[in-house]
């Protein structure tokens, strides 16, 4: 069954400070639904997400979780609408399924943060691989992409409440965008969409309409993305992890300015 559209119309009564005549309007509201993710029939996680682009989400989530390395590692994907949400059934080869069984969990989270189910500090703060890809991106290309981003956020334009993850060419052209109620989900969807389209993520950079926390940096590093730009500020852990892994991190990106952390002085 095909996923729902990303929004649904709801009627609202408009409140005003002058106690004027009551007004009723209809607005499109973003969908949020529990997505139960299964691998080879084993329940792995229940995430809250917008039920669109679920095949992209299945691939990106699986890659971000380290359960698969390539799209070829996924044998089948089935998105099934249930009474209370969605069931995302993913089939992987037995060698990949062993990773699932070792880390299987059944829990509800706000979104796919990439840290769910980890049971010790060492695992959360584990060293990540160093990014092998390097690209040259002029400052003007970054601001060009930021200026164009709004026109690619169709679900957010409709609802006013969707995060976006956009993949950009080095010249700033936006090549692909995915949206979701959760910032982590939007990034997973984009990673999955790029993998399914055989687009090399290391040949461009990503913009996120979100604050930049550790788990988003981890996802970008694991995907071998050389540069991440976020609309809101980054956390100290995100900056530290980006430096250690060679990820160029730009945050608090606005039309007229953006921040990139300076190297620490001795």
């Amino acid at each position: 069954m095909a996923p729902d559209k990303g929004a649904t119309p709801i009627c609202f009564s408009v409140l005003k400070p002058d106690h004027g005549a009551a007004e009723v309007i209809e607005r499109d509201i973003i969908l949020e639904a529990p997505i139960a993710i299964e691998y080879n029939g084993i329940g792995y996680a229940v995430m809250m997400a917008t039920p669109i682009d679920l095949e992209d989400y299945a691939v990106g989530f699986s890659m971000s979780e380290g359960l698969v390395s390539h799209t070829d590692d996924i044998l089948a994907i089935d998105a099934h609408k249930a009474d209370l949400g969605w069931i995302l059934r993913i089939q992987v080869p037995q060698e990949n399924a062993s990773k699932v069984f070792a880390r299987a969990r059944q829990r509800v989270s706000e979104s796919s943060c990439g840290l769910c189910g980890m049971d010790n500090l060492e695992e959360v703060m584990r060293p990540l691989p160093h990014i092998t890809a390097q690209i040259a991106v002029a400052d003007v290309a970054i601001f060009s992409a930021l200026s164009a981003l709004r026109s690619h956020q169709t679900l957010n334009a409709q609802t006013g409440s969707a995060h976006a993850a956009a993949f950009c060419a080095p010249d700033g052209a936006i090549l692909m965008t995915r949206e979701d109620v959760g910032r982590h989900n939007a990034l997973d969807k984009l990673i999955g969409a790029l993998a399914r389209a055989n687009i090399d993520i290391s040949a461009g950079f990503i913009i996120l309409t979100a604050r930049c926390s550790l788990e988003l940096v981890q996802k970008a590093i694991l995907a071998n993305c050389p540069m991440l730009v976020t609309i809101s500020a980054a956390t100290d852990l995100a900056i530290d992890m980006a430096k250690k892994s060679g990820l160029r991190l730009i945050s608090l990106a606005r039309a007229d300015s953006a921040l990139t952390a300076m190297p620490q002085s001795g």
Side-chain angles (χ1 to χ4, degrees), residues 93-104:
Q94 185 56 42
E95 56 267 30
N96 298 87
S98 61
K99 299 179 183 178
V100 175
F101 301 150
R103 296 177 54 190

Side-chain angles (χ1 to χ4, degrees), residues 54-75:
L54 288 183
E55 290 196 353
D56 294 338
Y57 184 49
V59 173
F61 178 88
S62 301
M63 295 178 73
S64 292
E65 289 287 295
L67 301 175
V68 303
S69 300
H70 309 282
T71 54
D72 292 344
D73 293 331
I74 296 180
L75 305 179

